[in-house]
Amino acid sequence: MSPNLLLPEETSSQVLRRRLLASAGTLLLIGTYLVLVITQPTGIAEGLGQGVALVTFAAYLAAAVMLLVAVLPDLPVSTLTLIPVALALNIILGQFVGSVMVPLYLDSIGTVLVGFLAGRRAGAATGVLSTLIWSLFAPTVLPFAAGAALVGFLAGTAARFGALRRPYLAPMAGVVAGVLVGVVSAPVAAFVFGGTSGVGTGAVVAAFRSMGDSLLSAVTKQALISDPGDKAIVFLIAALLIYALPKRLSGSFDFIRRYRVLGQRGTK
Amino acid sequence: MPKSINLHPFTVLALAAAVVTMATAANLWWVSCAVLTACALVAGWTGHLRRLAVLSASILIPTFASLLLIHGLVSQDASGLIAAAGPFRVTVSGLETAMVLGLRTAVLVVAGLLCTLLIDKHQLVAAIDLSPAPPQVGYLLAATLFLLPHMAEKQRTIGQAQALRQAGTGRGLSGWFQRVRLRAVPLVLASLQDAHDRSAHLSARGFPAAGSHARLRTVADSVTQQRVRWVALLFAVLGPIAILAPFWGSR
């Protein structure tokens, strides 16, 4: 039965179309990443370099939008109302942390919260939407939409497999997520922007370049230093916030109940 | 007083996409500078120049600094050496690369921010609602744009309340962490509770509505604008291919 009694049920062709879109988006993302890593195009600022930048930008953005279109109609209303809160939290907390010069981002805390509360599809959709809306204020984040989707997807996956049942498991899951997100996002930073957009991270990339690393290798190593720590902190904070929620509220999410995301903590 | 332009939001976005992709593909410093000048002129004409300059500078200054560090200071090119000391090597081609990449990013940033300043947010939401995009997208965009100032205000109020009860006044990293915790926890918990309350009302009204429905706000559009959008999208896709095609043969 439809989760909402006022709405018609979906036809099998609609479900099939969404699955095809999700598969196409995932394949496009993986394919683009593999092509970039295997071929390692040189000359990012001349010849076909700008073509590589445009193709990387377009492919990562298209993959993220395909995943969003595939996932969005499937989300219940309780998750849809949660997503704007998460998007606003990403932006407000990200800006607040940025304004006090602490070397953390914390700009994916809302995405991880949705992933923990509503599952990986909702987390992925929140990641993409967050990037699309943030791009209205900072257009350079646009090609990182696929990386943001991966953060939400991995947060939901970690919650589903018990990362919130013990407080120390959440930051460990964050470290793993940070490694994967850093590796996936590195080609965008390298081939679209020629490095990174922050002075601190730029200095780390420059240090690796001075040791003879290629640009992609240097950006990947920088991402592997920055992202795991950031995601470990974000996952821990999101987990602590969820522990602080009233049971009535956290228990209202089907994902939390179905996969016993909070373990014993959710039943006490 | 900033002027408003009477164009469909998608027309502005399509034109920006065409300009950004073609300027990126052309990869000529004077094309990038011409696009940036044109953006500044449009911003000046519509009264957004100051805001565009501030917003662009906040993104582009760190970006240029980062590119100078990565390509300008530790260049791996053997020729055109300007200065070298220890691991640092400043070369002509390294500085050129940093400048080209910086200008490429500048075109994206300035054109993108100009779109944001020119497009009325309510018109954009209405245009998305009237498009074939899933109805949830319009709701999510509208709700986020409404919630942003609302939650920022709520965060300030929470901060004032905590300051009144003299909580979170410590110094250093622990003081900063305590301030973040005292602001973030009530903000997140209250916002999640609000979202939970809203979902019950939206569910009871059959959200998201399927099929066509009446909208009070209309978005001005015309056949000419629709044609401009199609042409701009064609240029956005085929323009870079036409510009880059000669390089394929020379590789």
Side-chain angles (χ1 to χ4, degrees), chain A residues 50-171:
Chain A
Q50 55 274 37
V52 173
L54 285 171
V55 168
T56 308
F57 192 137
Y60 268 59
L61 185 59
V65 171
M66 278 187 210
L67 289 170
L68 178 68
V69 173
V71 163
L72 211 49
D74 212 18
L75 298 179
V77 179
S78 59
T79 306
L80 284 174
T81 54
L82 185 66
I83 289 175
V85 174
L87 303 188
L89 280 176
N90 280 349
I91 296 171
I92 290 172
L93 292 182
Q95 282 177 345
F96 176 70
V97 171
S99 68
V100 291
M101 301 297 285
V102 173
L104 297 172
Y105 314 121
L106 305 191
D107 55 1
S108 52
I109 216 160
T111 306
V112 174
L113 261 178
V114 174
F116 282 172
L117 284 171
R120 50 194 179 189
R121 282 178 302 174
T126 308
V128 178
L129 280 164
S130 179
T131 309
L132 293 181
I133 293 176
W134 203 328
S135 72
L136 293 174
F137 312 102
T140 47
V141 300
L142 205 51
F144 292 101
L150 190 60
V151 174
F153 180 86
L154 292 172
T157 307
R160 183 170 171 169
F161 291 107
L164 294 187
R165 290 183 194 149
R166 298 273 182 282
Y168 60 85
L169 290 176

Side-chain angles (χ1 to χ4, degrees), chain B residues 98-167:
Chain B
M99 191 196 71
V100 167
L101 290 171
L103 283 174
R104 184 199 281 181
T105 310
V107 168
L108 170 69
V109 169
V110 175
L113 287 174
L114 183 61
C115 285
T116 304
L117 295 173
L118 291 180
I119 294 172
D120 178 57
K121 308 289 181 296
H122 301 288
Q123 292 286 88
L124 179 61
V125 172
I128 291 172
D129 274 349
L130 293 168
S131 74
Q136 292 92 337
V137 177
Y139 163 76
L140 290 171
L141 179 64
T144 308
L145 293 176
F146 161 75
L147 271 174
L148 265 175
H150 183 70
M151 284 179 66
E153 181 58 36
K154 197 184 263 184
Q155 189 208 189
R156 270 192 295 278
T157 311
I158 292 169
Q160 286 170 351
Q162 303 288 22
L164 269 177
R165 54 189 281 262
Q166 296 191 326

Side-chain angles (χ1 to χ4, degrees), chain A residues 201-218:
Chain A
T201 48
V204 178
V205 175
F208 283 121
R209 290 268 287 165
S210 70
M211 293 175 212
D213 280 342
S214 69
L215 184 63
L216 179 61
S217 170

Side-chain angles (χ1 to χ4, degrees), chain A residues 173-250:
Chain A
V175 169
V176 177
V179 170
L180 291 171
V181 172
V183 166
V184 168
S185 303
V188 176
F191 296 119
V192 178
F193 297 115
T196 63
S197 56
V199 180
T201 48
V204 178
V205 175
F208 283 121
R209 290 268 287 165
S210 70
M211 293 175 212
D213 280 342
S214 69
L215 184 63
L216 179 61
S217 170
V219 173
T220 306
K221 285 177 181 172
Q222 175 274 317
L224 288 176
I225 290 172
S226 305
D227 280 30
D230 179 64
K231 297 299 173 288
I233 293 169
V234 166
F235 272 51
L236 177 63
I237 292 172
L240 294 176
L241 285 169
I242 286 175
Y243 296 155
L245 284 176
K247 301 286 177 291
R248 178 178 52 80
L249 187 54
S250 56

